[in-house]
Amino acid sequence: MAGVKFDGTAATASLRGLLAGIENPAPLLAQLGEYTLRTTRDRFKTQTGPDGTAWAALQPWYKKEKSQNKNRVLTLRGFLRGQLVSQVVGGKSVEVGSNLVYAAVHQFGGTIKPKSGKLLAFRGHAAKSVTIPARPYLGLSDADQNELVERTLDWLRTSGGLK
């Protein structure tokens, strides 16, 4: 009888490796988080959001009185950039962000009003409120998304022994 014999040993081993990788994605997620952390920190150099839009400029009075990094948006001493973290959560997801109290207002924007009294006072300036424009620094660009997909595919190929 003519025929073809198929030995599934290698295929089975590859599938087992692939399944093990899928069931434990934490190592991949840690790598993806580190990549995202790096590209997020790079945005502080380009002063742009994930979509490539330039961050809103500093108010002229603030830029003039700023003690350091006068031409850098979202950077006085570098704490926001320096406090960014990547964390694998529950072995099944990864988060990149900051727990600094002012991190969210810079990402999403907002209006600050006095808690008590009628005016806010800041470096000799007084105002009824201050509006901080959104300057998104967290998120993924199209290039970031593509890179994360490529890294995931490479990782799955390696996990499954498909190189």
Side-chain angles (χ1 to χ4, degrees):
M1 168 182 182
V4 175
K5 182 179 178 185
F6 174 73
D7 180 359
T9 306
T12 302
S14 290
L15 289 173
R16 280 193 186 115
L18 185 59
L19 182 59
I22 291 170
E23 288 178 343
N24 181 22
L28 167 66
L29 295 171
Q31 291 174 23
L32 299 181
E34 287 301 314
Y35 169 83
T36 304
L37 192 58
R38 188 173 58 255
T39 60
T40 301
R41 286 184 177 138
D42 287 347
R43 288 197 190 96
F44 286 81
K45 295 175 189 166
T46 62
Q47 300 187 82
T48 57
D51 66 356
T53 303
W55 290 337
L58 298 172
Q59 292 291 328
W61 66 267
Y62 179 67
K63 184 176 179 179
K64 180 180 175 189
E65 293 184 8
K66 204 173 163 191
S67 61
Q68 300 171 26
N69 294 301
K70 290 181 180 280
N71 294 320
R72 306 300 302 172
V73 177
L74 294 187
T75 303
L76 178 61
R77 292 183 189 90
F79 294 149
L80 183 58
R81 183 187 70 240
Q83 293 295 318
L84 292 169
V85 295
S86 168
Q87 179 176 344
V88 175
V89 179
K92 301 292 181 185
S93 66
V94 63
E95 296 177 355
V96 174
S98 173
N99 63 358
L100 291 174
V101 295
Y102 53 85
V105 77
H106 289 303
Q107 174 75 15
F108 302 110
T111 300
I112 300 171
K113 297 179 182 179
K115 287 184 179 180
S116 60
K118 296 180 181 180
L119 296 174
L120 292 168
F122 182 76
R123 294 192 177 174
H125 296 273
K128 291 183 179 182
S129 67
V130 173
T131 299
I132 296 175
R135 294 179 174 113
Y137 55 95
L138 297 169
L140 299 172
S141 68
D142 290 343
D144 292 339
Q145 290 178 32
N146 291 337
E147 181 64 22
L148 294 179
V149 168
E150 288 302 316
R151 287 173 182 240
T152 300
L153 292 172
D154 287 345
W155 186 79
L156 288 171
R157 284 184 201 103
T158 303
S159 294
L162 302 176
K163 279 192 169 188

